[in-house]
């Protein structure tokens, strides 16, 4: 009898215990915290006209967002806090602009600035190089035309460069706006008067980095014998510094106000910006890892022996590249090589950007193709470019014209939340300067020399990815994010042409000439720290 009672007691206890466990399980199931998916904010609206210098265009209506190609990935939902390589990262801080110290454009001419003087003749210009080299050269020629009292004929774009682009000025830039915007500075005409087409002309290679006296004396004296002067090249023909303030301001008005892209390019560029902003904040990465760049710089880190030999052969056979024998290891150690896609991925991860960061790749064809970019894509799958954001039909008008395709990259890069160039070329300098002009938007300039040292340690196993690497990289770049500073002059000890080459380019940083602190009439050395 006693055994029977004990057995009944055990059975009851088991049932009670089973019920208790089930009850606890159910309570846990219903009470578990399911985080709410953050509501995706409305798509970013394009900046107002006064913020971007890109006017609203009727043609934009023809390029509506509903025509986005079907292969574009659905924008991810972003959280305010995300875990990056260095631990919990403040998401907002990753995108925060550097303090601009209240600097604003100040490009209005002084009270002493007069209407254009009577024209002495016509200035023909052959703008050489790629898009951004030509942009800078054209703006310099505007200033030169003012100095020598010339009527500027709409410049001829380079059709013989590496890209063999057949585009004319009107195909890339808004010709009518250019003429009208400069009416108070110089006279601009679309072509030479018919009676001067066959007239003798002075064909001149203007001296590089020349100042006011050279143009006022040597070049202006050519008017005595000629009615037409032809500048055979336009790049780097005007000094960066020590020019009259009104000439410097004219260069900025020409670059940031008069030299606007054609309506078709601006409309397509704005559409690409809008589609990138559907993903949230985005980085524009100028990945300068094309065949011509690597061949020119002599950089072959991470390439196969066959690839390195191919690049060497290209350099040897390109007659206008003067330096033929280059030590690739020395180039990289000194920071003279563009970052590889693999190094870019390591850099961005260490900086704290999470893997779902949208990245617009502004570049030509990457040397090595998809296999070369695979390691970057494995870290940051949301790698976008023109071809992914737009349909083939939308890109068809631009696809065969390198300058027009580069212009699209330029617009998306200028408007990005963060711009990161992997090499200091013409595109990097032009975009960085434009972003400074528009309010010192965040531009991270990688210290390639310091990074190579750290990357080699990682490769050798003496330094691991994580907080230590992140701390060092972030610390190195604390003051390399686009905050206001005065344009750098020549490197101490340099002489002759090397002195001018070592100066920071005018269009890379238009401060102090074209940027003033709000409420101040001028900027001087005491203001700029």
């Amino acid at each position: 009898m006693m055994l029977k009672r004990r057995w009944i007691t055990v059975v009851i206890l088991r049932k009670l215990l089973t019920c208790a466990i089930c009850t606890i399980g159910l309570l846990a199931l219903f009470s578990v915290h399911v985080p709410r998916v953050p509501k995706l904010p409305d798509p970013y609206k394009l900046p107002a006209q006064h913020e971007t210098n890109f006017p609203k265009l009727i043609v934009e209506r023809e390029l509506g967002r509903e025509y986005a190609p079907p292969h574009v990935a659905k924008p991810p939902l972003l959280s305010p806090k995300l875990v990056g390589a260095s631990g919990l990262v403040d998401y907002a801080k990753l995108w925060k602009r550097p303090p601009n110290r209240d600097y604003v454009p100040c490009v209005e001419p002084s009270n002493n600035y007069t209407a254009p003087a009577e024209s002495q003749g016509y200035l023909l210009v052959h703008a050489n190089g790629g898009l951004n080299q030509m942009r800078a050269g054209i703006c310099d020629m505007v200033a030169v035309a003012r100095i020598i009292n010339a009527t500027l004929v709409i410049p001829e774009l380079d059709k013989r460069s590496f890209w063999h682009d057949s585009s004319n000025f009107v195909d890339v830039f808004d010709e009518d706006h250019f003429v009208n915007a400069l009416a108070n500075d110089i006279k601009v005409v679309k072509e030479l008067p018919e009676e001067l087409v066959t007239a003798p002309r002075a064909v001149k290679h203007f001296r590089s980095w020349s100042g006011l006296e050279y143009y006022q004396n040597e070049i202006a004296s050519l008017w005595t014998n000629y009615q037409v002067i032809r500048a055979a090249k336009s790049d780097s023909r005007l000094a960066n510094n020590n020019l009259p303030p009104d000439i410097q301001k004219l260069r900025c008005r020409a670059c940031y106000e008069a030299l606007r892209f054609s309506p078709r390019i601006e409309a397509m560029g704005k559409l690409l910006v809008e589609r990138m902003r559907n993903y949230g904040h985005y980085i524009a990465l100028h990945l300068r890892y094309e065949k011509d760049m690597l061949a020119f710089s002599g950089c072959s880190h991470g390439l196969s022996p066959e690839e390195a030999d191919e690049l060497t052969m290209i350099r040897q056979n390109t007659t206008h590249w003067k330096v033929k024998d280059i030590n690739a290891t020395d180039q990289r150690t000194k920071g003279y090589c563009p970052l590889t896609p693999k190094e870019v991925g390591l850099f961005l991860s260490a900086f704290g950007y999470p893997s779902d960061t949208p990245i617009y790749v502004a570049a030509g064809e990457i040397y090595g193709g998809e296999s070369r970019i695979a390691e970057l894509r494995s870290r940051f799958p949301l790698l976008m470019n023109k071809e992914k954001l737009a349909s083939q039909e939308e890109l068809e008008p631009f696809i065969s014209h390198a300058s027009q395709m580069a212009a699209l990259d330029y617009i998306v890069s200028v408007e990005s939340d963060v711009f990161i160039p992997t090499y200091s070329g013409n595109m990097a300098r032009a975009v960085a300067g434009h972003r400074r002009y528009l309010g010192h938007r965040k531009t991270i300039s990688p210290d390639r020399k310091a990074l190579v040292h750290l990357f080699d340690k990682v490769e050798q196993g003496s330094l691991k990815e994580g907080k230590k690497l992140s701390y060092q990289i972030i610390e190195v770049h604390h003051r390399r994010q686009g905050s206001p500073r005065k344009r750098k002059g020549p490197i101490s000890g340099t002489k002759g042409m090397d002195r001018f080459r070592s100066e920071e380019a005018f269009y890379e940083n238009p401060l102090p000439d074209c940027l003033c602190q709000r409420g101040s009439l001028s900027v001087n050395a005491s203001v700029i720290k």
Side-chain angles (χ1 to χ4, degrees), residues 93-360:
K93 190 174 182 180
L94 288 173
W95 307 102
K96 186 179 180 181
R97 293 186 182 185
N100 69 4
R101 291 162 52 194
D102 219 17
Y103 276 99
V104 294
C106 53
V107 296
E108 291 300 315
S110 70
N111 293 332
N112 297 325
Y113 195 76
T114 60
E118 183 179 352
S119 176
Q120 298 293 300
Y122 292 85
L123 176 62
L124 296 176
V125 173
H126 172 72
N128 61 300
L131 172 70
N132 294 289
Q133 189 173 333
M134 291 192 292
R135 276 178 60 93
I138 290 168
C139 296
D140 279 356
M141 289 300 111
V142 168
V144 169
R146 171 77 188 193
I147 294 169
I148 65 174
N149 295 333
T151 295
L152 178 66
V153 180
I154 287 291
E156 172 193 351
L157 302 190
D158 195 338
K159 296 178 175 61
R160 297 171 296 178
S161 64
F162 178 85
W163 300 275
H164 300 289
D165 190 346
S166 61
S167 299
N168 293 314
F169 188 97
V170 71
D171 300 316
V172 181
F173 303 108
D174 188 333
E175 191 174 71
D176 290 332
H177 177 77
F178 183 73
V179 173
N180 295 330
L182 294 171
N184 294 326
D185 302 294
I186 60 171
K187 184 178 180 181
V188 183
V189 295
K190 296 183 179 181
E191 54 188 20
L192 270 178
E194 188 175 345
E195 65 272 16
L196 292 179
V197 170
T198 58
R201 60 189 63 174
V203 179
K204 186 79 173 175
H205 280 77
F206 294 167
R207 192 175 66 199
S208 298
W209 296 292
S210 295
L212 197 69
E213 291 184 357
Y214 168 78
Y215 286 104
Q216 286 180 329
N217 299 331
E218 186 169 334
I219 300 303
S221 67
L222 295 173
W223 295 133
T224 304
N225 300 311
Y226 299 95
Q227 289 180 277
V228 180
I229 298 173
R230 176 177 172 81
K233 289 187 176 183
S234 65
D235 63 321
S236 305
R237 304 298 135 176
L238 199 58
N240 289 305
N241 303 306
N242 302 318
L243 290 171
D246 275 327
I247 293 298
Q248 298 288 62
K249 291 179 186 296
L250 173 56
R251 294 169 87 176
C252 287
R253 291 199 299 276
C255 187
Y256 305 124
E257 297 179 9
L259 199 59
R260 180 186 293 169
F261 290 119
S262 69
R264 186 178 61 177
I265 290 175
E266 285 206 10
M268 189 68 231
K270 282 185 171 185
L271 185 62
L272 295 176
V273 170
E274 187 172 354
R275 288 177 180 170
M276 277 306 299
R277 285 189 171 159
N278 284 338
Y279 292 82
H281 296 298
Y282 74 91
I283 293 172
L285 175 67
H286 185 223
L287 189 58
R288 197 70 171 95
Y289 208 75
E290 299 102 335
K291 182 186 288 187
D292 65 306
M293 181 70 253
L294 296 174
F296 174 78
S297 61
C299 298
S300 58
H301 179 74
L303 303 181
S304 68
E306 293 76 17
E307 289 173 324
D309 289 343
E310 180 187 21
L311 296 177
T312 299
M313 189 65 67
I314 292 172
R315 187 169 66 254
Q316 296 292 340
N317 293 336
T318 305
T319 54
H320 62 276
W321 290 354
K322 304 302 180 185
V323 181
K324 302 298 183 183
D325 297 320
I326 299 175
N327 185 307
T329 302
D330 287 347
Q331 282 286 95
R332 182 170 177 271
T333 301
K334 293 175 182 177
Y336 295 160
C337 290
L339 297 180
T340 68
K342 178 182 178 180
E343 291 170 340
V344 171
L346 187 56
F347 173 73
L348 292 175
S349 294
F351 218 92
Y353 287 99
S355 61
D356 59 358
T357 300
I359 298 175
Y360 179 88

Side-chain angles (χ1 to χ4, degrees), residues 384-396:
M384 310 301 290
N385 55 23
K386 299 180 291 293
E387 291 75 14
K388 285 192 175 183
L389 289 172
S391 66
Q392 187 175 354
E393 290 75 20
E394 288 172 324
L395 284 180
E396 199 279 330

